[in-house]
């Protein structure tokens, strides 16, 4: 039967355009399986590196009036210990994308190789974490380094390589161009925005790391603008990420040019039903508007 919601993305076949964003429920095969069973079209793991990391001291999360601030600090068991989780997640029946970080191009290469060997369907290079020194956005903000890291990872593997960009730059489309020059198969826009909160009683920053990344509804309009700008300037598949909380948000991102959307913070607020409810909402929208396939709405906001 023709599935209106199915979409191809950088060689991956998604049953619907919703994906689990990196950093949420992504540390075990079991939790990734649960998200897949709840209806996600694909799942992305927590960012994984070469060596284990415990992350920052608490508090690592704080809720603000308009979104969540986090500074987890890349806690992860290392790719060596995570391989069995990838294997388990593979039984979920949807593409499993492993988020990879490194402190150098060489580290990205090593983790890429091991994640691919462990059975990842694709990789998502995290060149956009806003608050860990010498990795993340320190790579993604430097277009030369960004291109080098993507090229190195691409050389190492045949599976699709997605690149997740930071909004904490002057020109996000320039970063997308650099990732494309490096061979990126798709762009994920965006990671969290650098932000902070201060406790007026203690007079001190709340997060253990002082600075963190803002996610949730507050960043949706910024993420949408980033997707729109990239779509206008760079011929590359785009995945929207940032504050997607309902089907309208998902449709907005697709109209701006995204082929799929990632959902993170809203899973914490609304639970796992969000994948099905967004998919159903998109389906009803397509029906009402007379579209045959979700592909038809990708980039429609650009048509004059
Ligand atoms: O682990 C984190 O603190 C973290 C990461 Br890796 C990231 O990419 N984005 C974010 O907001 N937090």
């Amino acid at each position: 039967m023709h599935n209106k919601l199915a979409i191809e993305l950088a060689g991956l076949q998604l049953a619907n355009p919703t994906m689990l964003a990196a950093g949420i429920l992504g540390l075990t095969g079991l939790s990734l399986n649960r998200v897949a069973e709840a209806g996600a079209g694909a799942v992305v793991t927590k960012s994984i590196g070469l060596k284990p990391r415990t992350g920052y001291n608490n508090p690592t999360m704080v809720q603000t009036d308009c979104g969540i601030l986090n500074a987890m600090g890349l806690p992860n068991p290392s790719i060596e210990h995570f391989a069995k989780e990838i294997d388990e997640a593979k039984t979920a029946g949807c593409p499993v994308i492993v988020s990879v970080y490194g402190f150098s191009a060489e580290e990205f290469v090593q983790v890429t190789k091991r994640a691919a060997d462990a059975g990842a369907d694709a990789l998502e290079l995290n060149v956009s974490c806003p608050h860990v020194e010498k990795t993340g956005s320190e790579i993604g903000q430097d277009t030369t380094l960004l291109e080098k890291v993507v090229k190195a990872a691409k050389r190492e593997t045949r599976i699709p390589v997605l690149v997740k960009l930071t909004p904490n730059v002057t020109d996000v489309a320039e970063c997308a161009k650099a990732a494309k020059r490096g061979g990126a198969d798709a762009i994920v826009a965006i990671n969290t925005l650098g932000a902070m909160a201060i406790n007026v009683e203690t007079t001190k920053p709340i997060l253990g790391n002082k600075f963190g990344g803002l996610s949730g509804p507050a960043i949706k309009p910024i993420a949408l603008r980033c997707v729109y700008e990239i779509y206008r300037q760079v011929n590359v598949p785009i995945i929207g990420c940032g504050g997607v909380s309902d089907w309208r948000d998902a449709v907005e991102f697709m109209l701006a040019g995204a082929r799929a959307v990632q959902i993170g913070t809203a899973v914490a607020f609304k639970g796992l039903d969000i994948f099905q409810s967004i998919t159903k909402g998109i389906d009803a929208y397509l029906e009402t508007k007379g579209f045959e396939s979700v592909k038809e709405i990708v980039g429609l906001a650009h048509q004059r």
Side-chain angles (χ1 to χ4, degrees):
M1 198 185 76
H2 170 65
N3 177 0
K4 275 185 172 184
L5 292 157
I7 193 153
E8 180 272 340
L9 185 89
L12 302 171
Q13 304 297 332
L14 273 55
N16 70 72
T18 68
M19 298 168 67
L20 176 72
I24 317 286
L25 296 176
L27 264 177
T28 71
L30 279 177
S31 59
L32 289 160
N33 275 331
R34 269 187 70 198
V35 179
E37 276 161 24
V43 292
V44 185
T45 70
K46 174 67 182 161
S47 295
I48 305 296
L50 202 54
K51 297 189 185 127
R53 275 176 67 96
T54 49
Y56 297 139
N57 291 335
N58 282 325
T60 51
M61 265 175 78
V62 49
Q63 194 169 335
T64 72
D65 293 340
C66 54
I68 289 182
L69 265 173
N70 89 82
M72 311 305 292
L74 281 163
N76 81 99
S78 81
I79 189 64
E80 186 189 337
H81 292 102
F82 192 69
K84 60 180 184 299
E85 307 298 338
I86 298 173
D87 194 46
E88 178 147 24
K90 290 277 290 175
T91 58
C94 75
V96 177
I97 301 164
V98 177
S99 173
V100 165
Y101 77 88
F103 289 93
S104 63
E106 179 50 32
E107 278 195 18
F108 268 96
V109 165
Q110 291 197 38
V111 184
T112 289
K113 184 175 175 344
R114 293 193 200 181
D117 287 349
D121 294 301
L123 302 166
E124 181 180 285
L125 305 185
N126 183 349
V127 287
S128 46
C129 175
H131 50 247
V132 179
E133 282 176 17
K134 308 269 181 273
T135 185
S137 58
E138 290 193 17
I139 294 170
Q141 286 163 341
D142 176 341
T143 48
T144 308
L145 190 52
L146 170 60
E147 182 180 341
K148 182 180 158 191
V149 164
V150 179
K151 207 174 262 171
K154 275 295 290 180
R155 220 181 279 130
E156 194 58 42
T157 184
R158 289 153 74 128
I159 61 174
V161 173
L162 286 44
V163 179
K164 187 166 182 179
L165 296 180
T166 175
N168 304 315
V169 289
T170 314
D171 190 344
V172 75
E174 285 303 316
C175 299
K177 285 177 197 165
K180 169 118 198 247
R181 283 196 301 275
D185 296 291
I187 297 293
V188 183
I190 55 176
N191 206 315
T192 52
L193 276 100
M196 75 183 303
I198 294 174
N199 183 327
V200 296
E201 299 305 328
T202 65
T203 72
K204 300 287 186 294
I206 297 176
L207 290 167
N209 183 57
K210 298 189 176 72
F211 302 105
L214 182 66
S215 62
I219 75 165
K220 193 198 84 182
I222 299 166
L224 198 60
R225 184 263 302 165
C226 290
V227 168
Y228 193 94
E229 282 191 341
I230 295 167
Y231 186 87
R232 195 159 59 175
Q233 296 185 45
V234 195
N235 183 16
V236 65
I238 308 166
I239 300 157
C241 181
V244 176
S245 305
D246 59 25
W247 69 265
R248 283 178 185 278
D249 296 334
V251 168
E252 265 190 88
F253 272 100
M254 298 193 80
L255 295 172
R259 291 183 74 79
V261 292
Q262 293 187 350
I263 305 163
T265 302
V267 175
F269 285 126
K270 295 188 164 177
L272 285 174
D273 288 348
I274 190 159
F275 293 98
Q276 271 193 14
S277 86
I278 288 184
T279 302
K280 278 189 194 148
I282 299 173
D283 195 24
Y285 174 82
L286 297 177
E287 191 70 36
T288 311
K289 292 283 190 184
F291 293 111
E292 299 282 316
S293 160
V294 73
K295 298 180 205 85
E296 292 171 29
I297 70 168
V298 176
L300 260 192
H302 294 260
Q303 278 182 11
R304 283 188 229 177

